[in-house]
Structure formats: structure tokens, C-alpha cells
Amino acid sequence: MYKYLRTHEKRMLDLLDSSQEQDWETIKAYHLAQIGFMQHERLIHLIVTFAFAFLTLGFYIISIKFPTVAIAVLALILTALESFYIFHYYRLENGVQRWYEIYNRICERC
């Protein structure tokens, strides 16, 4: 997903930096549709991130109440997974924020 985000962003920036005449209304509509897709993706990842956070927190609470090595190891594994989800969500969020700026630049050209 991040590769897709970067590829689209590069393509839009190349169009903005180009001196060729473009149909900016079409580009604006296309870019706005892509923003919508990424906002949906962001929402799904936010839900998954919160679900894993609650699951991880639950396993930590269980490991305090019933201290076993298996539960502690599972809680640590979930913590590692949650770290990756947070990092991925962070990259998606920042990418979409950059896309908003690109959208504003496209609107200036219209």
C-alpha cells in the first residue's frame, strides 16, 4: 500500500512540475478519488490498529491475573505486531496529508 501511495504521489508531483498543458479538472477529479480510496484504507487500518491494541492490552491484563510464560510471550508478540501496525498507519496518515497539499496545488492550477 505504501508503494502505491508513493507512486501516485510521484506521478502527481511530476504532473505539477511539468510545463506541458494538462486537463487539471480531470486530474483533480482523479486525485480526489484516490484520496477517497486512501481515506478508506486509513480507516480500516485505524480499526485494525485499535483492535490489536485492545487485544494486546487484554493479554497484558490476563498475564497479570494468570502469570504464565505462554501468555506473556503471546502478549509480547502482540506488542511487536501492534508496533508494526502503528508504524504502517503513521506512514499512511502522513502520505494522505501530503496528498491534501498536492490537491491544493492542483486546485490552484484549475
Side-chain angles (χ1 to χ4, degrees), residues 2-39:
Y2 188 69
K3 182 179 176 184
Y4 172 77
L5 188 140
R6 296 299 292 185
T7 302
H8 176 74
E9 184 175 336
K10 183 179 179 337
R11 189 199 252 141
M12 290 296 109
L13 290 173
D14 288 346
L15 284 172
L16 283 165
D17 293 339
S18 170
S19 60
Q20 294 178 347
E21 187 63 31
Q22 305 289 338
D23 181 6
W24 291 108
E25 288 296 329
T26 303
I27 293 170
K28 181 172 105 174
Y30 172 73
H31 185 62
L32 192 57
Q34 299 307 307
I35 288 174
F37 295 148
M38 288 307 285
Q39 286 175 332

Side-chain angles (χ1 to χ4, degrees), residues 13-106:
L13 290 173
D14 288 346
L15 284 172
L16 283 165
D17 293 339
S18 170
S19 60
Q20 294 178 347
E21 187 63 31
Q22 305 289 338
D23 181 6
W24 291 108
E25 288 296 329
T26 303
I27 293 170
K28 181 172 105 174
Y30 172 73
H31 185 62
L32 192 57
Q34 299 307 307
I35 288 174
F37 295 148
M38 288 307 285
Q39 286 175 332
H40 179 263
E41 188 74 24
R42 222 172 56 186
L43 175 64
I44 297 303
H45 282 282
L46 180 63
I47 292 168
V48 169
T49 300
F50 273 122
F52 263 88
F54 288 126
L55 188 64
T56 303
L57 183 62
F59 270 95
Y60 275 107
I61 291 169
I62 290 170
S63 71
I64 291 170
K65 185 124 174 123
F66 305 104
T68 63
V69 174
I71 293 175
V73 168
L74 194 54
L76 289 174
I77 290 171
L78 287 172
T79 301
L81 279 172
E82 181 64 17
S83 299
F84 286 115
Y85 275 119
I86 289 171
F87 179 69
H88 181 68
Y89 184 76
Y90 173 81
R91 289 181 6 169
L92 282 177
E93 180 66 32
N94 286 335
V96 172
Q97 294 297 321
R98 287 191 309 267
W99 282 18
Y100 292 156
E101 292 173 17
I102 291 170
Y103 180 77
N104 289 336
R105 286 180 61 192
I106 292 171

